[in-house]
């Protein structure tokens, strides 16, 4: 599979924003705007990652109106069931028809001290629940002082893929921690350099075929005015968008990046 055959994915990570009523209003407006613009969802896939408490509302809306928008959880438990107060099982997310689940977002790794082992266990839990894990990796500014840019993300990805079999469907998001929410994204060149190393990690950990078909997203201060630069990179197949995914005009504009690209 080549770059041209991988369907780009534009994913909105809402983090802890929007209650279920706001989620409904947002998804309705997004679907209306993209429908009005005749967006081809087979050409560029769209997914949102609402808080857990919004997912049932999003599911109901998406199914009632047959919206071509995918959705997923922002995290999941390493366990399937049991005495884990406050945790959410991948099985519950699957039951809500989630397609994806984010694992290893830097805010989980650093604020909730999730290790590479935890991220590997969550990746496994997502796959066992038949969810597509969206595995986030990325280096901090401190890591960059000590290592070359791809060293930490490559190690994190190797760790997350320990229990993953060749051929498995998953997505990788390269998100330099220093670029998240900072308004200062990586350059497309920096992002491409790391993304190409991550694709090699997939080939080494699994196989070439899996590496060729896996979508690698860039995340970190993606905006309508910088998305095109990232999408021109041969190893970048989409974006994981935080701040700009909360503004329906900005997010729809990122989804429709081909309309403002001069290829
Ligand atoms: P940002 O967040 O777009 O606000 O930088 C990206 C993310 O954390 O996924």
């Amino acid at each position: 599979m080549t770059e041209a055959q991988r369907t780009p994915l534009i994913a909105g990570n809402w983090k802890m924003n929007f209650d279920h009523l706001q989620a409904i209003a947002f998804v309705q407006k997004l679907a209306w705007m993209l429908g009005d613009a005749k967006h081809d969802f087979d050409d560029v896939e769209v997914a949102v990652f609402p808080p857990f408490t919004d997912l049932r509302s999003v599911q109901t809306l998406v199914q009632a109106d047959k919206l071509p928008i995918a959705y997923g959880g922002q995290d999941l438990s390493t366990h399937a069931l049991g005495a884990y107060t406050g945790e959410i099982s991948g099985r519950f997310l699957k039951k809500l028809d989630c397609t994806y689940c984010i694992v290893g977002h830097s805010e989980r790794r650093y604020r909730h001290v999730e290790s590479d082992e935890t991220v590997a266990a969550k990746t496994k839990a997502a796959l066992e629940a038949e969810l597509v894990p969206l595995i986030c990796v990325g280096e901090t500014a401190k890591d960059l002082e000590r290592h070359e840019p791809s060293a930490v993300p490559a190690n994190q990805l190797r760790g997350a893929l320990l229990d993953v079999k060749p051929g498995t469907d998953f997505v990788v998001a390269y998100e330099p921690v220093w670029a998240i929410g900072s308004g200062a994204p990586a350059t497309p060149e920096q992002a491409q350099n790391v993304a190409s190393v991550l694709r090699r990690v997939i080939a080494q950990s699994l196989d070439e075929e899996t590496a060729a078909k896996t979508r690698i997203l860039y995340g970190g201060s993606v905006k309508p005015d910088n998305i095109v630069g990232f999408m021109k990179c041969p190893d970048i197949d989409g974006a994981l968008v935080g701040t700009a995914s909360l503004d329906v005009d900005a997010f729809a504009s990122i989804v429709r990046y081909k309309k403002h690209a001069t290829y």
Side-chain angles (χ1 to χ4, degrees):
M1 199 178 257
T2 63
E3 180 202 355
Q5 290 166 309
R6 295 189 291 265
T7 304
L9 170 63
I10 303 294
N13 174 14
W14 295 357
K15 310 189 180 184
M16 200 172 72
N17 294 289
F18 294 163
D19 61 36
H20 71 289
L21 297 176
Q22 293 170 312
I24 293 171
F26 183 95
V27 173
Q28 262 169 341
K29 188 154 185 213
L30 178 66
W32 183 86
M33 284 178 79
L34 293 175
D36 194 49
K38 305 216 169 352
H39 177 69
D40 180 352
F41 290 85
D42 293 327
D43 188 41
V44 176
E45 190 186 342
V46 181
V48 292
F49 292 82
F52 290 132
T53 50
D54 300 1
L55 284 170
R56 173 69 174 148
S57 305
V58 170
Q59 177 202 30
T60 305
L61 171 65
V62 162
Q63 294 185 348
D65 291 359
K66 297 191 172 49
L67 305 180
I69 294 176
Y71 53 90
Q74 297 175 9
D75 185 32
L76 81 169
S77 173
T78 55
H79 305 279
L81 288 174
Y84 303 101
T85 302
E87 294 282 277
I88 299 290
S89 168
R91 289 189 194 177
F92 306 159
L93 299 176
K94 184 66 186 175
K95 201 78 179 167
L96 291 170
D97 296 314
C98 287
T99 305
Y100 298 101
C101 189
I102 295 175
V103 295
H105 189 278
S106 63
E107 286 147 21
R108 303 287 325 168
R109 289 181 189 265
Y110 300 106
R111 291 184 197 268
H112 300 267
V113 206
E114 288 191 5
S115 64
D116 286 349
E117 290 71 31
T118 305
V119 177
K122 290 190 171 188
T123 301
K124 195 168 171 230
L127 291 169
E128 279 169 359
E130 295 177 17
L131 297 163
V132 176
L134 197 163
I135 305 166
C136 300
V137 297
E139 79 288 0
T140 62
K142 239 200 190 111
D143 291 331
L144 268 190
E145 288 167 15
R146 279 175 288 179
H147 307 280
E148 50 146 344
S150 61
V152 167
N155 252 335
Q156 290 175 338
L157 186 57
R158 260 182 227 110
L161 296 178
L162 272 181
D163 270 325
V164 175
K165 294 190 177 50
T168 301
D169 197 7
F170 63 94
V171 177
V172 175
Y174 167 54
E175 300 203 300
V177 181
W178 46 270
I180 293 178
S182 68
T187 64
E189 195 190 1
Q190 286 172 317
Q192 164 58 27
N193 286 343
V194 177
S196 74
V197 172
L198 296 177
R199 203 173 292 288
R200 255 185 287 137
V201 168
I202 302 170
Q204 287 157 0
S205 299
L206 303 171
D207 62 18
E208 291 288 347
E209 222 172 285
T210 312
K213 76 166 190 171
T214 299
R215 291 176 294 179
I216 300 178
L217 316 183
Y218 167 76
S221 297
V222 171
K223 301 280 181 291
D225 65 0
N226 61 30
I227 181 67
V228 174
F230 294 112
M231 295 311 294
K232 283 185 177 172
C233 299
D235 285 298
I236 295 178
D237 311 302
L240 183 56
V241 186
T243 311
S245 77
L246 302 174
D247 175 330
V248 74
D249 296 298
F251 190 61
S253 172
I254 292 170
V255 168
R256 299 182 68 240
Y257 69 90
K258 288 189 181 178
K259 297 291 175 233
H260 43 106
T262 41
Y263 281 94

